Each structure stands twice: as C-alpha cells, then as structure tokens.
C-alpha cells in the first residue's frame, strides 16, 4: 500500500468549477433593521458596534458589508452564533429580506435590480431553499408538499406528481407520499423539505440551519444525505449553520460571521490552521487539528534522497495519513498532480497532533 | 420575522419600574380627589345643578324638526341622490331579509329541519346534527317556529353581509401590518359604543324595518369577523409563508394555496363569533322592526313576562345551537388535521350527494304531505307558559321565604344604601366639583389627554341637557362595575391559582358571554321588583366573566421565572401571590376594570327596556313614542358617558408598551 485512495472530500473539491464566473456573487451587502435604516449607511454610525448603533439610532445592523463568491459545484458554509446575521444574509440572497445596500448576482442575473416577476422566476427555477423549521404545508400530503414548487410554476398535475415521486425516492420517502407532515418525524419532515427544494432542479440550494432542530443522530444521517445528494448531483449549496463540526464536514469553504460581518473566509484547513483572530481561534480550539489539516500544512521541502518513500495525496488529512506514516521508517512524500511537493515525517505528525492541546 | 427576532433578542431592553412614595400612589391620590368631591357635596348640597346657561335647551326641538325634514326629503317622489342611496340600501336589505324568510317558509318546516340537520351532520358530525335537530324541535315545541325563522333570516342576512365586509378586510389586515393598525381604532369604536347610542341615528336614516335591524346588527358583528380573520391569517406559521415565497409563489398563490387553507379553521371561527354577536343584537333589533323573537321579548317584558322568558329561551337555544354547529364544522373540516386521502375524499363526495338527495326528498315530502309552511301543530307552548307563570308568581309572591329574606332585602339594600346615595351624591354635588373630580381621576390614572377628553365629554353631556339622567346611569354603572370587578378579581385570582376552579368557571363564563345581552335582564325583572336592580345584576353577569378571564390570564402570565425565584427565596404561596403575582398582574386588573365598565354600560342602558331610569330609558322612550329629539340626545349622552368612563379607567396604556420591536 503506497498510495491511499483519495477520500470523497477530495473528489468533491475537484468538481468545483473555478474556470467561469462565480455562480453567486455578493458584494458589499448590508442589512439594517429599523427606522430610516438607509440613512445610517455611509455615515460613521454604520461602523459603530451593534449595541451603540441600536442605542443611538434604534437600528440593528444584521449584516454589514459582506462580500463573497460561490463557484459552481461548491458547498459554501456560513457559520456563526445566533444573532450573527447569517440567516439574514442568506435571505437577502433571494430578497426574502430586502438588503439595505449591496449588489448580488446569481447565475448571471442581477438579483438586487430584479423586478418582482424576475425575482419570482429566479426563486422558481434557479434557487431553492431549505428552512430550519421545515415550513411544510400542514394541509397537504407529503407528495403535494414536494410538488408545491412545480405547482407554483404551473406544471400540470400528472407531471408534477411524477417528478415529486421520483425525488421522494431519492430521499427515501416513497412510502410516505400520502401521509401528512404532522405524521412524520422531524428528520423525515426535513427530508420532505429537501425534496421540495430539490424537485425544481435548482442551480443553487440554500440551507438555513436545516438540521439544528433535529436530534444529533438524525442530524448526522441528514448531513450524510446532503453529502450524498451533493455528490450525485453536483449542486451548488450555501449552507447556514451554527455548528462548527457540521461546517467543517460539509463545507468546501467556510465564512465565519460575527456581529453581521465576515471575520474569516477560507477552507476548513485555513480556519483551523491559521485562524484570523482570537474569535475564530476560540471557535476552532476544540476541533482535532489532525481531522482537518492536510499534509500540505505539515510537510517540509524534501531533503535529497527523501523523495522515494511511500506517497500520499497532499490533500489527505493528517488523521488518515497516520497509519501510512507510522508503518514506514522513511518520510512520506506528498504528491500533487503526480509531482512530489513535500515530505512528511513522524515528527511533523506528532507535532500536529500535540498542537491540538494548545 | 424570526431573523429579526434573532437579532433583536440578543439585546433585551431594560425594564424600569417606576417608583414613587406611597402618598403619591395613584390609589391615594384618587382617594383624595373623592374626599374633595365629598367636601364639595356637603358644602353645597343640591345648590348647583347643571346651569341652564350651559345647556342647549332647544336642541331637542331642532332635532325633531330635522328628523321631520329628513323623512320629508326621503319620502319625496324624487328624492335626491343621498336619499336614493339610503333608501336603496334599506330597501335592498328589507328585500334580502324577506327573501330569506320566504325561502325558509317555502322549504316548509319539514324541509327546513331535514336540510339543516343533514347539513350539520355532513360537515359537523353527529353531535352537531343533534344540536341542530334539538334546537329546531324546541322552536316548534315552544310555538315560536315562525318568530324563530324570522330571526334566523335576519341573522343570516346580517351575518352574510358582515362576513362579506369583514372577511376581506380581516384578510387584508392579516397581510398588511399598516392596514391592521389603521383599522384597529375603528373596530374598537364599533365595539365600545353601546348599541343604544347608534340605534336612533340608524332609525332616522334608514327608518324602522328589517333593513335598519340588519345595519344595527352589522355595526356590532363586523368587528369580530375582521379581528378573527386577521388573527387567523397572522397565525399561519411565518416559516411556511416564507417557504412558499422562496419557491416563487405570487401574492395570490400565497393567499389561496397557503394562507387561506391554513387559516381556514380560524376563518370559520370568525363565522361562529359573527353569528353569536349578531344573535346578541336580536332583541335590540326587535326594537326597530327586526320582528322575530325580539318582539315577544320587548313587548312581553312589561306585559306578558312568561312569553318574554319563553322567547328569551328560544334565543338562547338558537345561540347555543348555531355556536355548537359552526364550531364543530370549523374543527372537523380543518384541512391541517383532517388528513383526507383519496378514498376519504370519495366517501365525502358520496355523502354530500346523499345529503342533497335526502334534502330534495324531504322538501318533496313536505310539499306532498302538505306539511304547511310553518309549524303550527302540536306545541307545548301553553303548558310551558303556564309553568313559567307559576314560577314567576311564586318568586314575585311577597309571602315566600326567598322574597322576604333574599331578593327583597338584597334589592332594598343595594338600592337604599348604595345606589341611591351614590346617585344623590353625583347629582347633588355641585356640577363643577363633579366634573373636576372625574377629570382629576382621569388625569391621575390615565394622563393628560384622557383627562381632556373626559372634560370635553362631560361638558357635552351637560350641553345636551342630559346631566341628571347621565348621573343616574353613571351611578348604576359604577356600582355594577365595582361588583363585577370585585367578583371578577376574586374569581380570576382563584382560577389562576387553582386549575380546578378554572375548569369549573370556564364553561360558565362561555355560556354567560354567549347569551344575548338582554336575555340576562328578563328573569331578574321578576326576581327584583325594584326597578334599578335587574339591570345592574344583568350587567354584572355580563361583565364579570370578562374580568375573570383578563385577571386569570394576567396572573397566569406573570413571568414564571419571577414566581420561581420568589419560591426559591422561601416565599410562602400567599407571599408569592400578594407580593409577586398581583402587583405584576396589575395591568391586567386595570384592563379588566376598563373592559368591565364598558360592558356594564352597554347592559345598564339596555335595562332601560325594563323601565330602569336613566339614559337607556330615554332612548326607549324616543323609539317607542317617536320622540326622536329625546332619543338622539340620550344617544349622544350615552356615547359621551361611555367615552368618558373609558378614558378615566384606561390607565397609562401608552407607556406600558415600552418594549416595542424595532422592526
């Protein structure tokens, strides 16, 4: 065994298409709740800490000057504690909450300038959303709930039921099609929520803390489910969560929000390996570094003659590399695109693991 | 909304409790005002009645001639546009009611009973059908079938129109915060104003008849339709609405596919409440040409009490019947709970067809058997009236124990030692002292603006020349309110503390509030032959359930953390109640006083029908003897008195809602 097979996460990263324009482009997005919120913008007040701003103007800045890009095929996670503005941010993307300022483009369409008809088309065909509290229609059967998005589009009854049945199979709920939401468990209800978002075949799926209302075990299942769907379909996802392990598990890139602003945006390794400030450092302190960091973070340039050891993909996590490194006396070579880019020895691994306590 | 809450919730606004020394507390200051009024009373007893200079004595005559001019105008061969519209409305409403009544008659009593019962069974289930059949059977048994059908058609017309107006408004208010805010004060006014205050204007404009009765009823029954519909739309979970929007629903898709189905149960409860509110106006509608069950009640009140009681019972039965049937329909057809599958749907459709066929057969049989349009056959009316009469005779018999030891002494005590002294006090105290006293109390309890409104309203009462009658009515209202509040606070606190008491009280409260206002008065007219007392007792019965409910909720809603904390410090149950719960529930108690006083006023003036002196009596005189000027003046005084009493007891409502959401 010289080369371990790359884990699923590695494949996923390869599907992100960074060649074209980003699928979602957000620039300078603000949302201020309160009277005359637009007047606050552009004044020095906008930079005040939240409590002071509220005391002074009665306004609450939920989102402040947020910019990011999401590329096709990417899973983009927005993470933050409650009140950090993450749920508001995701709602401004499709203007369920009107942004106070800023510019948003999705799939080449200017969302901020869209007419209400354009916006409706965008919501019907391009973006769909999964909600924390499911938001299912209590008076409709599961299958009618799933078909609702198509019904709103005006798809004929026979066709929308056929497509809803297909998607229900995909999430493993084909037997519950004729039941009503309140007859299902929370996990099953959220599967319906996911199926409902999925059935319109959107380019982007927005998940607003979809699993925080669920039990930990079911949450785990659902995360697997989302990973599987993402792998099978390659959909672009924006995922909101307050749960760091969930963020690290799902996200290609993670934006950490605090008081309405993004404090750090990067890959899971970036956050764990080099937190931008105390706040992020505190967040990631309890995360086992070896689970997140890859060989890239601990490798050193190879000394002459060291390059002929066993090889591992440079994107392998430390945790997964341990067995190989432990079984070999020689340093392991990290390769990228078939080239050796560095070597990792036992000391480096031990240091990385030891660093978890600090 | 959830996102806003999430943001805002992070920074709780500090709660600042006002603190003032005991000698500046509201209670002490108000007591001082009363002492001042007493001093004024003893110093110049009866010397300063409302001065003639400040009275517009010719107002009544002017109003009379205005009314004559109006009726001349509207009776002209070619009246102007305004009168054509007004006449058109009242004519149209008359026709609608008559048409409904004709339809009910054409169905024959067999058809009506079978169709109504099957309809109740199909949508409301067996219990609802039993209520419907039982109710209709008792109308027949009471010998009041025809009157009941007249009332039913009046109620149906008023309810249909109230819903046609109220539901769209309520749905719009449920969807728009701004519209809701604009509508609320109008609805408040429509509900606060005692019916007796707008009876005269309606009659003057629309003249006596079913049309006027429908309009009077609607003024009272539109607000609940609007309010509950709005509440229902607001009650649709916001995340469901948001999800539907996120899927690209248009406004009308959102309304028809999401909001209306999910609010359906509440919308049907709005229908239920509208019916009950409309029914509670039946007796008053009878005064202005509504005919039906209201007639025997008002006519019989002073001449044939047994018939009045029988008709009152029929109204109560109709209220309970319609309440139960519509409530059952609302519950059973709720699509969020019914979970109909395809087979169920098919079964339901078959049942509907069956019901329709059976209805057709029943109507056919009714015709074929020549059942007669209205039920006139075997009734137990005579027997019932005889029984009721014997009970009345027994009660009114001055030789019985209850008369000698309960009703008579109680009535005398209330009248001699509480009511009349208060009345004398209000009337004989110099008018300027009385006005100043009321205004001062309004200022202490409610603030400057309510005080100014109170001053203006009292001035208006004096100006139209109703000072004396208004003080008569005010004294009855104050005494009845004091009793209602004492009873209500006592029972409310008890119910909040004991689940058992709460369970016992709830159905009693429900029944008392369902019953039409005047129905209370009837029995007490005979129990207490002294003219003041029946109206007061009736108004206490009408008002105290509301006080109970508000106080119970207030005490229960006291933050459980505060109660728990007090318990953790070792407070006894009594300490928790007296030092934590009741002080924190003070707002709810004040609100109970405010609501109670308005409800008491509504019933006290209605008691004018039973010849209780005061403003209500003058309105009845105005209606029954065509003294329009007198009636209108009394109506204005009722309205003014209502507003004044409301403002005096309103409390500092504005400052209480300090924690407003920034959104």
């Amino acid at each position: 065994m010289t080369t371990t097979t790359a884990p699923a996460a590695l494949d996923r990263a390869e599907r992100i298409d960074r060649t074209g324009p980003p699928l979602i482009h957000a620039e300078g997005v603000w949302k201020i709740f309160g009277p005359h919120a637009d007047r606050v913008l552009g004044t020095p007040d906008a930079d005040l800490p939240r409590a002071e701003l509220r005391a002074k103007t009665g306004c609450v800045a939920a989102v402040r000057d947020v910019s990011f890009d999401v590329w096709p095929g990417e899973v983009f996670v927005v993470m933050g504690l409650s009140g950090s503005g993450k749920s508001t941010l995701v709602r401004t993307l499709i203007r369920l909450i009107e942004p106070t300022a800023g510019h948003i483009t999705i799939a080449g369409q200017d969302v901020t300038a869209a007419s209400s008809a354009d916006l409706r088309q965008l919501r019907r065909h391009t973006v769909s959303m999964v909600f924390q509290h499911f938001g299912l229609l209590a008076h409709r059967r599961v299958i009618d709930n799933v078909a609702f998005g198509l019904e709103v589009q005006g798809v004929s009854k026979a066709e929308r039921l056929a497509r809803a049945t297909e998607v229900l199979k995909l999430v493993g709920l084909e037997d519950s099609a004729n039941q009503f939401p309140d007859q299902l468990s929370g996990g099953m209800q959220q599967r319906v929520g996911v199926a409902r978002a999925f059935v319109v075949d959107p380019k982007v799926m927005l998940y607003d803390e979809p699993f925080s209302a669920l039990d930990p075990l079911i949450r785990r299942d659902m995360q697997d489910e989302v990973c599987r769907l993402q792998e099978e379909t390659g959909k672009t996802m924006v995922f909101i969560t307050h749960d760091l392990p969930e963020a690290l598990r799902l996200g290609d890139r993670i934006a950490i929000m605090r008081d309405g602003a993004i404090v750090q945006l990067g890959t899971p390794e970036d956050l764990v390996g080099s937190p931008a400030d105390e706040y992020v450092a505190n967040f990631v302190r309890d995360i086992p570094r070896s689970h997140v960091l890859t060989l890239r973070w601990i490798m050193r340039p190879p000394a002459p003659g060291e390059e002929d050891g066993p090889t591992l993909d440079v994107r392998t996590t430390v945790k997964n590399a341990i067995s190989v490194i432990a079984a070999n006396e020689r340093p392991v070579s990290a390769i990228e695109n078939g080239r050796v880019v560095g070597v990792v020895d036992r000391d480096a691994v031990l240091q990385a693991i030891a660093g978890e306590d600090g | 909304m959830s996102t806003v809450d999430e943001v805002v919730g992070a920074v709780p606004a500090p709660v600042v409790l006002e603190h003032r020394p005991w000698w500046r507390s509201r209670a002490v200051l108000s007591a001082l005002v009363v002492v001042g009024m007493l001093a004024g009373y003893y110093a110049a007893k009866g010397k300063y009645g409302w001065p003639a200079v400040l009275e517009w004595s010719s107002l009544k005559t002017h109003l009379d001639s205005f009314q004559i001019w109006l009726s001349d105008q509207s009776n002209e061969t070619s009246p102007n546009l305004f009168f054509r519209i007004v006449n058109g409305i009242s004519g149209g409403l008359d026709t609608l009611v008559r048409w409904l009544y004709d339809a009910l008659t054409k169905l024959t009593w067999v058809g009506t009973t079978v169709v109504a019962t099957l309809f109740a069974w199909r949508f409301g289930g067996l219990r609802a059908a039993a209520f419907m059949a039982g109710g209709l059977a008792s109308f027949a048994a009471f010998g009041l079938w025809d009157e009941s059908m007249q009332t039913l058609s009046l109620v149906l017309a008023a309810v249909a129109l109230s819903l046609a107006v109220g539901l769209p408004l309520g749905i719009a208010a449920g969807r728009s915060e701004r519209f809701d805010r604009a509508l609320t004060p109008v609805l408040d006014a429509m509900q606060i104003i005692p019916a007796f205050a707008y009876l005269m204007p309606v009659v003057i404009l629309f003249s006596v008849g079913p049309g006027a009765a429908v309009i009077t009823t609607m003024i009272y029954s539109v607000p609940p339709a609007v309010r509950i519909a709005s509440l229902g739309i607001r009650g649709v979970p916001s995340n469901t609405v948001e999800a539907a929007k996120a899927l690209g629903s248009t406004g009308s898709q959102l309304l028809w596919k999401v909001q209306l189905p999910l609010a359906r149960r509440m919308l049907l409860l709005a229908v239920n409440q509208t019916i009950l509110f409309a029914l509670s106006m039946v007796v008053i509608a009878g005064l202005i040409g509504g005919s039906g069950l209201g007639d025997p009640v008002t006519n019989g009140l002073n001449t044939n009490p047994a018939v009045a009681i029988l008709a009152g019972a029929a109204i109560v039965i109709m209220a309970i019947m319609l309440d139960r049937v519509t409530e059952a329909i609302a519950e059973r057809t709720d699509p969020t709970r019914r979970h109909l599958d395809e087979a169920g749907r098919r079964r339901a459709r078959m049942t509907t067809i069956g019901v329709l066929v059976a209805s057709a057969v029943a109507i056919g049989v009714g015709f074929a058997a020549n059942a007669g349009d209205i039920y006139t056959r075997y009734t137990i009316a005579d027997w019932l009236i005889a029984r009721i009469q014997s009970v009345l005779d027994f009660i009114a018999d001055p030789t019985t124990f209850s008369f000698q030891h309960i009703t008579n002494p109680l009535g005398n005590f209330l009248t001699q030692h509480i009511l009349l002294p208060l009345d004398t006090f209000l009337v004989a105290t110099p008018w300027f002292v009385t006005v100043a006293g009321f205004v001062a109390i309004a200022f202490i309890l409610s603030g400057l603006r309510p005080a100014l409104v109170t001053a203006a309203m009292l001035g208006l009462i004096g100006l139209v020349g109703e000072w004396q009658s208004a003080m008569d009515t005010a004294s009855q209202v104050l005494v009845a309110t004091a009793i209602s509040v004492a009873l209500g606070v006592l029972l409310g606190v008890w119910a909040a503390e004991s689940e058992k008491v709460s369970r016992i009280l709830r159905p009693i409260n429900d029944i008392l509030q369902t019953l039409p206002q005047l129905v209370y008065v009837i029995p007490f007219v005979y129990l207490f032959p002294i003219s003041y007392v029946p109206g007061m007792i009736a108004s206490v019965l009408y008002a105290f359930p509301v006080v109970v409910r508000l106080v119970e909720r207030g005490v229960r809603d006291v933050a459980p953390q505060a109660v728990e904390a007090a318990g953790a410090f070792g407070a006894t149950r009594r300490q928790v109640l007296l030092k934590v719960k009741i002080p924190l529930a003070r707002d709810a108690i004040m609100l109970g006083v405010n609501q109670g006083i308005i409800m008491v006023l509504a019933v006290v003036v209605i008691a004018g029908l039973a010849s209780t002196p005061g403003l209500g009596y003058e309105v009845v005189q105005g209606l029954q003897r065509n003294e329009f000027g007198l009636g209108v003046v009394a109506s204005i005084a009722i309205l003014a008195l209502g507003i004044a009493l409301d403002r005096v007891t309103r409390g500092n409502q504005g400052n209480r809602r300090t924690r407003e959401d920034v959104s």
Side-chain angles (χ1 to χ4, degrees):
Chain A
M1 185 180 76
T2 50
T3 308
T4 52
T5 47
L10 301 186
D11 280 348
R12 211 171 67 198
E14 266 151 28
R15 261 205 314 276
I16 301 174
D17 174 15
R18 290 178 198 271
T19 53
L23 191 56
I24 302 176
H25 172 72
E27 200 180 312
V29 176
W30 282 86
K31 177 64 203 182
I32 299 175
F33 290 108
H36 308 299
D38 43 330
R39 286 193 209 154
V40 175
L41 266 184
T43 65
D45 283 353
D47 297 324
L48 285 176
R50 225 182 235 186
E52 283 178 40
L53 177 69
R54 185 171 184 199
K56 187 168 173 188
T57 63
C59 291
V60 173
V63 175
R64 327 161 148 245
D65 197 18
V66 167
S67 305
F68 60 87
D69 288 322
V70 180
W71 306 89
E74 186 174 22
V75 178
F76 185 84
V77 174
V78 180
M79 215 226 56
L81 299 180
S82 65
S84 63
K86 54 192 191 305
S87 289
T88 309
L89 173 66
V90 74
R91 280 171 174 72
T92 58
L93 291 182
I94 51 172
R95 282 171 55 190
L96 284 176
I97 292 176
E98 286 291 338
T100 313
H103 195 79
I104 295 162
T105 314
I106 296 181
Q109 190 180 2
D110 186 342
V111 178
T112 29
S115 68
S116 59
D118 290 342
L119 195 60
R120 229 167 15 240
Q121 288 307 311
L122 179 92
R123 290 173 179 176
R124 284 181 182 181
H125 299 287
T126 316
V127 185
S128 53
M129 189 157 169
V130 179
F131 295 87
Q132 180 180 6
H133 297 293
F134 322 139
L136 300 179
L137 301 170
H139 63 294
R140 292 173 164 229
R141 293 176 303 166
V142 163
I143 188 149
D144 298 320
N145 263 287
V146 174
F148 185 72
L150 298 169
E151 184 180 339
V152 162
Q153 290 175 19
V155 175
S156 75
K157 186 165 183 181
E159 192 189 338
R160 68 182 188 237
L161 289 185
R163 275 165 68 185
T165 312
E166 258 171 57
V167 178
L168 275 178
K169 274 190 198 132
L170 199 64
V171 297
L173 276 182
E174 61 268 39
D175 295 335
S176 307
N178 283 319
Q179 289 186 290
F180 283 77
D182 61 356
Q183 297 169 323
L184 304 181
S185 68
M188 287 164 91
Q189 289 191 37
Q190 193 56 298
R191 275 169 206 263
V192 177
V194 172
R196 177 178 64 183
F198 218 79
V199 77
V200 297
D201 194 22
K203 288 201 178 78
V204 182
M205 306 229 341
L206 308 177
Y207 288 85
D208 177 32
E209 299 202 41
F211 310 139
S212 32
L214 305 180
D215 298 336
L217 279 178
I218 295 168
R219 193 184 307 165
R220 184 93 188 175
D221 279 353
M222 294 297 291
Q223 288 165 0
D224 290 340
E225 187 89 20
V226 167
C227 284
R228 186 174 64 81
L229 280 176
Q230 215 275 340
E231 277 153 32
E232 283 172 12
T233 60
K235 292 242 181 283
T236 309
M237 307 197 318
V238 175
F239 198 100
I240 308 296
T241 182
H242 63 248
D243 181 25
L244 186 64
E246 184 170 83
L248 295 172
R249 205 163 128 76
L250 297 170
D252 293 314
R253 282 187 305 147
I254 299 168
I256 295 200
M257 283 186 78
R258 181 193 189 185
D259 286 351
I262 292 182
V263 289
Q264 186 170 12
L265 197 169
T267 62
E269 308 180 60
D270 291 337
L271 300 181
V272 175
S274 57
D277 62 10
E278 191 98 340
Y279 184 73
V280 181
N282 266 333
F283 247 118
V284 298
R285 190 160 52 191
D286 295 332
I287 296 298
R289 288 154 64 88
S290 60
H291 289 213
V292 179
L293 294 187
T294 61
L295 298 186
R296 193 193 301 280
W297 283 86
I298 59 171
M299 69 191 182
R300 58 176 167 78
E306 277 186 329
E307 292 178 27
D308 52 347
T311 57
L312 280 173
D313 192 298
V314 72
R315 289 168 298 179
T316 313
T317 57
V318 173
K319 181 185 158 220
N320 288 335
I322 287 176
S323 58
V324 179
I325 293 169
N328 285 284
E329 294 291 331
R330 304 174 56 83
V332 172
S333 302
I335 55 164
E336 187 170 28
N337 301 326
R339 248 172 11 89
V340 175
V341 290
V343 293
V344 180
D345 54 25
R346 289 180 181 177
D347 286 352
V349 171
L350 289 175
Q351 267 172 22
I353 296 172
E356 284 171 9
D357 297 333
Chain B
M1 281 310 288
S2 66
T3 50
V4 181
D5 290 344
E6 187 188 305
V7 170
V8 173
V11 197
V15 179
V16 181
L17 288 177
E18 58 183 330
H19 186 79
R20 49 173 110 193
W22 66 269
W23 46 268
R24 279 186 57 203
S25 78
R26 297 205 173 101
V28 172
L29 290 180
S30 308
L32 284 178
V33 172
V34 174
V35 170
M37 288 169 75
L38 279 172
Y41 167 70
Y42 283 114
K45 207 184 288 186
K47 280 192 196 137
Y48 302 96
W50 189 270
V53 206
L54 290 179
E55 196 176 309
W56 187 6
S57 49
S58 56
L59 179 62
K60 282 180 200 134
T61 344
H62 285 309
L63 283 167
D64 278 335
S65 50
F66 175 67
Q67 193 271 330
I68 291 165
W69 176 81
L70 263 183
S71 69
D72 285 352
Q73 288 284 308
S74 93
N75 291 338
E76 261 181 38
T77 40
S78 60
N80 67 28
L81 184 65
F82 175 75
F83 288 102
R84 258 180 289 165
I85 292 174
V86 167
N87 291 346
I89 292 176
S90 71
L93 291 176
D94 284 354
T95 317
L96 176 65
V97 175
R98 210 158 291 136
W99 183 84
L100 278 169
Y101 173 68
D102 284 347
L104 284 175
T105 320
K106 286 255 165 55
L107 282 178
T108 74
W109 63 270
V110 180
T112 306
T113 311
V114 173
V115 171
T117 307
L118 284 177
F119 176 82
W121 173 71
R122 162 67 184 86
F123 295 103
L126 216 52
R127 233 176 78 95
F131 269 107
M132 186 63 103
L136 291 170
S138 45
F139 303 149
F142 288 1
L144 291 169
W145 181 268
D146 194 26
E147 288 84 352
S148 301
M149 290 307 114
Q150 286 170 9
T151 291
L152 199 58
S153 39
L154 181 76
V155 169
L156 284 180
V159 167
L161 291 170
S162 300
L163 294 175
V165 175
L167 288 187
L169 284 177
I171 290 165
R175 284 159 67 94
S176 155
E177 193 65 38
R178 193 177 302 174
F179 188 56
D180 191 56
R181 265 202 298 266
L183 214 53
T184 303
V186 180
L187 298 179
D188 284 348
M190 284 166 81
Q191 283 195 308
I192 285 179
I193 299 172
F196 263 41
Y198 49 75
L199 224 43
M200 289 305 300
V202 168
V203 168
I204 290 174
L205 263 183
F206 297 96
S207 72
V208 172
V214 168
I215 288 171
T216 313
T217 308
M218 278 177 68
I219 294 176
Y220 193 58
S221 61
V222 164
V226 179
R227 276 184 217 271
I228 299 175
S230 163
L231 220 60
I233 295 291
R234 270 159 214 283
V236 174
S238 60
N239 54 44
T240 307
V241 172
E242 195 177 33
K245 278 188 198 160
L247 287 163
S249 306
T250 59
S252 67
Q253 283 174 329
L254 187 66
L255 178 65
W256 290 100
K257 290 177 191 288
V258 179
Q259 290 177 314
L260 288 185
L262 287 175
R264 180 192 166 121
R265 191 175 140 264
M266 281 295 272
L267 294 179
L268 285 175
L269 285 181
V271 175
N272 169 280
Q273 285 300 301
T274 308
I275 291 176
L276 292 183
F277 273 64
L279 251 177
S280 72
M281 290 293 283
V282 159
V283 177
I284 294 176
L287 277 180
I288 54 171
S291 60
L293 293 169
D295 273 351
V297 174
T298 44
N299 293 338
L301 210 48
N302 296 317
T303 53
N304 195 346
V307 172
I309 288 181
L310 195 61
I315 295 174
V316 173
I317 289 171
M318 190 180 284
I320 293 174
M321 166 183 107
L322 293 177
D323 175 46
R324 295 302 143 87
V325 170
T326 48
E327 195 184 346
I329 293 175
E331 298 294 340
R332 282 179 60 110
T333 60
D334 181 6
T336 64
R337 287 196 235 160
R338 198 163 46 147
H339 298 337
L340 266 192
D341 52 10
E342 286 302 326
R345 252 176 250 263
R346 217 170 307 125
R347 252 196 322 273
R349 240 183 328 248
M350 292 309 291
T351 323
T352 311
I353 294 172
V355 165
L356 288 177
V357 171
S359 300
V361 170
I363 296 167
V365 168
F367 276 122
N370 204 6
D373 308 334
I374 57 173
Y375 185 90
T376 48
R377 281 143 214 244
Y378 315 103
T379 70
I380 49 169
D382 295 335
W383 183 82
L384 277 173
I385 290 171
R387 290 284 85 67
I388 296 169
Q389 193 58 55
S390 68
V391 172
L392 288 179
D393 290 344
F394 174 77
I395 289 173
D397 184 351
T399 59
T400 59
F401 176 82
S402 73
F403 184 90
Q404 284 182 344
H405 297 283
I406 303 173
T407 54
N408 201 37
L410 185 63
N412 280 333
F413 176 78
L414 265 179
T415 318
Q416 299 302 327
H417 297 284
I418 299 179
L419 195 65
L420 289 182
L422 181 65
D423 194 14
T424 321
F425 168 61
L426 287 178
V427 173
T429 304
W431 65 274
F432 44 87
V433 176
T434 310
V435 172
F438 274 114
V439 173
I441 293 177
F443 180 71
I444 292 166
L445 293 181
S446 313
L448 181 62
R449 259 181 58 161
L452 292 177
V453 174
T454 305
M457 288 302 135
L458 292 177
L460 181 63
I461 291 171
L463 180 71
V464 298
E466 290 290 320
W467 184 254
Q468 167 95 39
S469 307
M471 288 304 118
D472 288 346
T473 299
S475 59
Q476 294 165 36
V477 169
L478 290 177
V479 172
T481 307
I483 299 173
S484 309
V485 169
L487 203 58
V489 170
L490 199 72
L491 290 174
V493 171
W494 195 10
E497 288 290 289
S498 153
E499 197 52 47
K500 202 188 279 173
V501 175
S502 175
R503 257 205 313 278
I504 296 170
L505 276 179
R506 214 167 303 146
I508 299 176
N509 283 353
D510 283 347
I511 290 179
L512 284 176
Q513 288 205 285
T514 312
L515 300 188
Q517 294 162 8
L518 187 81
V519 171
Y520 298 123
V521 184
I522 308 170
F524 294 106
V525 171
Y526 310 99
L527 262 178
F528 297 99
I530 303 140
S531 61
Y532 289 106
V533 184
M536 281 176 42
I537 295 201
S539 58
V540 168
L541 283 180
Y542 184 60
F544 93 88
V546 172
V547 183
V548 170
R549 202 165 289 182
L550 286 168
V551 170
E552 182 184 348
R553 210 172 57 201
V555 176
R556 269 179 199 275
D557 284 355
V558 163
Q561 301 93 316
V563 174
E564 202 180 12
F569 280 110
T572 62
R573 189 171 162 171
R574 190 161 152 264
Q575 284 173 321
V576 170
L577 187 63
L578 292 180
K579 292 189 190 294
V580 180
K581 289 187 177 175
I582 290 181
L584 285 175
R586 211 181 47 187
D587 286 359
I589 294 171
M590 193 69 204
L591 187 62
V593 174
N594 181 249
Q595 297 267 300
I597 211 165
I598 296 303
M599 298 179 72
V600 164
L601 175 65
V603 178
V604 161
V605 291
I606 291 176
L609 278 175
S611 305
T612 307
L615 296 169
Y617 182 68
E618 292 180 359
V619 173
V620 177
Q621 292 291 303
L623 284 170
Q624 290 179 340
R625 297 199 191 154
N626 279 351
E627 292 183 40
F628 284 85
L630 178 67
V632 171
V633 159
S635 301
I636 295 172
I638 290 174
L639 184 56
L641 185 64
I643 295 174
L645 290 174
D646 174 58
R647 293 308 135 101
V648 171
T649 54
R650 169 162 285 195
N652 211 344
Q653 285 180 349
N655 291 354
R656 294 234 170 94
R657 296 199 197 102
T658 43
R659 255 206 97 185
E660 283 241 52
D661 214 326
V662 284
S663 63

